[in-house]
mmCIF file of all heavy atoms in Angstrom:
data_model
loop_
_atom_site.group_PDB
_atom_site.id
_atom_site.type_symbol
_atom_site.label_atom_id
_atom_site.label_comp_id
_atom_site.label_asym_id
_atom_site.label_seq_id
_atom_site.Cartn_x
_atom_site.Cartn_y
_atom_site.Cartn_z
ATOM 1 N N VAL U 24 -0.093 39.180 10.207
ATOM 2 C CA VAL U 24 -0.619 40.503 9.891
ATOM 3 C C VAL U 24 -2.127 40.440 9.648
ATOM 4 O O VAL U 24 -2.877 41.283 10.143
ATOM 5 C CB VAL U 24 0.105 41.082 8.644
ATOM 6 C CG1 VAL U 24 -0.587 42.322 8.139
ATOM 7 C CG2 VAL U 24 1.558 41.379 8.977
ATOM 8 N N VAL U 25 -2.593 39.459 8.890
ATOM 9 C CA VAL U 25 -4.003 39.367 8.546
ATOM 10 C C VAL U 25 -4.833 38.931 9.738
ATOM 11 O O VAL U 25 -5.817 39.586 10.101
ATOM 12 C CB VAL U 25 -4.204 38.396 7.352
ATOM 13 C CG1 VAL U 25 -5.669 38.143 7.086
ATOM 14 C CG2 VAL U 25 -3.532 38.962 6.116
ATOM 15 N N TYR U 36 3.107 24.656 11.568
ATOM 16 C CA TYR U 36 3.398 23.824 10.399
ATOM 17 C C TYR U 36 4.896 23.790 10.121
ATOM 18 O O TYR U 36 5.457 22.735 9.824
ATOM 19 C CB TYR U 36 2.641 24.340 9.180
ATOM 20 C CG TYR U 36 2.979 23.609 7.910
ATOM 21 C CD1 TYR U 36 2.548 22.313 7.709
ATOM 22 C CD2 TYR U 36 3.742 24.207 6.914
ATOM 23 C CE1 TYR U 36 2.861 21.618 6.552
ATOM 24 C CE2 TYR U 36 4.060 23.531 5.755
ATOM 25 C CZ TYR U 36 3.619 22.237 5.581
ATOM 26 O OH TYR U 36 3.945 21.569 4.433
ATOM 27 N N SER U 53 -4.393 3.189 13.905
ATOM 28 C CA SER U 53 -5.157 2.874 15.118
ATOM 29 C C SER U 53 -6.643 2.767 14.822
ATOM 30 O O SER U 53 -7.321 1.840 15.290
ATOM 31 C CB SER U 53 -4.926 3.951 16.183
ATOM 32 O OG SER U 53 -3.584 3.992 16.560
ATOM 33 N N GLY U 60 -11.649 -4.521 14.489
ATOM 34 C CA GLY U 60 -12.169 -5.221 15.665
ATOM 35 C C GLY U 60 -13.677 -5.158 15.728
ATOM 36 O O GLY U 60 -14.340 -6.149 16.068
ATOM 37 N N ARG U 63 -15.024 -7.560 13.128
ATOM 38 C CA ARG U 63 -14.827 -8.925 13.573
ATOM 39 C C ARG U 63 -15.873 -9.303 14.630
ATOM 40 O O ARG U 63 -16.490 -10.360 14.561
ATOM 41 C CB ARG U 63 -13.412 -9.074 14.125
ATOM 42 C CG ARG U 63 -12.944 -10.463 14.283
ATOM 43 C CD ARG U 63 -11.445 -10.581 14.608
ATOM 44 N NE ARG U 63 -10.856 -9.445 15.283
ATOM 45 C CZ ARG U 63 -10.053 -8.545 14.702
ATOM 46 N NH1 ARG U 63 -9.775 -8.636 13.427
ATOM 47 N NH2 ARG U 63 -9.535 -7.551 15.393
ATOM 48 N N HIS U 72 -25.893 -16.263 15.565
ATOM 49 C CA HIS U 72 -27.340 -16.074 15.472
ATOM 50 C C HIS U 72 -27.890 -17.032 14.417
ATOM 51 O O HIS U 72 -27.464 -17.002 13.266
ATOM 52 C CB HIS U 72 -27.654 -14.621 15.091
ATOM 53 C CG HIS U 72 -29.110 -14.337 14.928
ATOM 54 N ND1 HIS U 72 -29.961 -14.304 15.988
ATOM 55 C CD2 HIS U 72 -29.849 -14.101 13.815
ATOM 56 C CE1 HIS U 72 -31.178 -14.042 15.544
ATOM 57 N NE2 HIS U 72 -31.135 -13.918 14.225
ATOM 58 N N GLU U 86 -19.524 -18.671 4.055
ATOM 59 C CA GLU U 86 -19.164 -17.398 3.418
ATOM 60 C C GLU U 86 -18.399 -16.499 4.386
ATOM 61 O O GLU U 86 -17.422 -15.846 4.010
ATOM 62 C CB GLU U 86 -20.420 -16.675 2.908
ATOM 63 C CG GLU U 86 -20.981 -17.262 1.640
ATOM 64 C CD GLU U 86 -20.002 -17.176 0.482
ATOM 65 O OE1 GLU U 86 -19.523 -16.068 0.157
ATOM 66 O OE2 GLU U 86 -19.704 -18.231 -0.107
ATOM 67 N N MET U 100 -0.812 -9.487 2.726
ATOM 68 C CA MET U 100 -0.258 -8.864 1.520
ATOM 69 C C MET U 100 0.083 -7.402 1.771
ATOM 70 O O MET U 100 1.120 -6.910 1.311
ATOM 71 C CB MET U 100 -1.245 -8.989 0.357
ATOM 72 C CG MET U 100 -1.361 -10.397 -0.179
ATOM 73 S SD MET U 100 -2.690 -10.634 -1.382
ATOM 74 C CE MET U 100 -2.329 -9.399 -2.602
ATOM 75 N N ARG U 101 -0.789 -6.679 2.516
ATOM 76 C CA ARG U 101 -0.509 -5.285 2.824
ATOM 77 C C ARG U 101 0.751 -5.167 3.671
ATOM 78 O O ARG U 101 1.594 -4.293 3.444
ATOM 79 C CB ARG U 101 -1.688 -4.643 3.537
ATOM 80 C CG ARG U 101 -1.487 -3.143 3.754
ATOM 81 C CD ARG U 101 -2.552 -2.519 4.587
ATOM 82 N NE ARG U 101 -2.440 -3.069 5.930
ATOM 83 C CZ ARG U 101 -3.462 -3.373 6.701
ATOM 84 N NH1 ARG U 101 -4.686 -3.216 6.274
ATOM 85 N NH2 ARG U 101 -3.280 -3.850 7.898
ATOM 86 N N SER U 135 24.446 21.040 -2.228
ATOM 87 C CA SER U 135 24.023 21.937 -1.155
ATOM 88 C C SER U 135 22.891 21.305 -0.370
ATOM 89 O O SER U 135 22.197 20.419 -0.854
ATOM 90 C CB SER U 135 23.591 23.282 -1.730
ATOM 91 O OG SER U 135 22.468 23.109 -2.558
#
Side-chain angles (χ1 to χ4, degrees):
V24 169
V25 173
Y36 175 72
S53 298
R63 196 170 27 255
H72 178 71
E86 284 298 305
M100 288 171 55
R101 186 187 66 218
S135 63

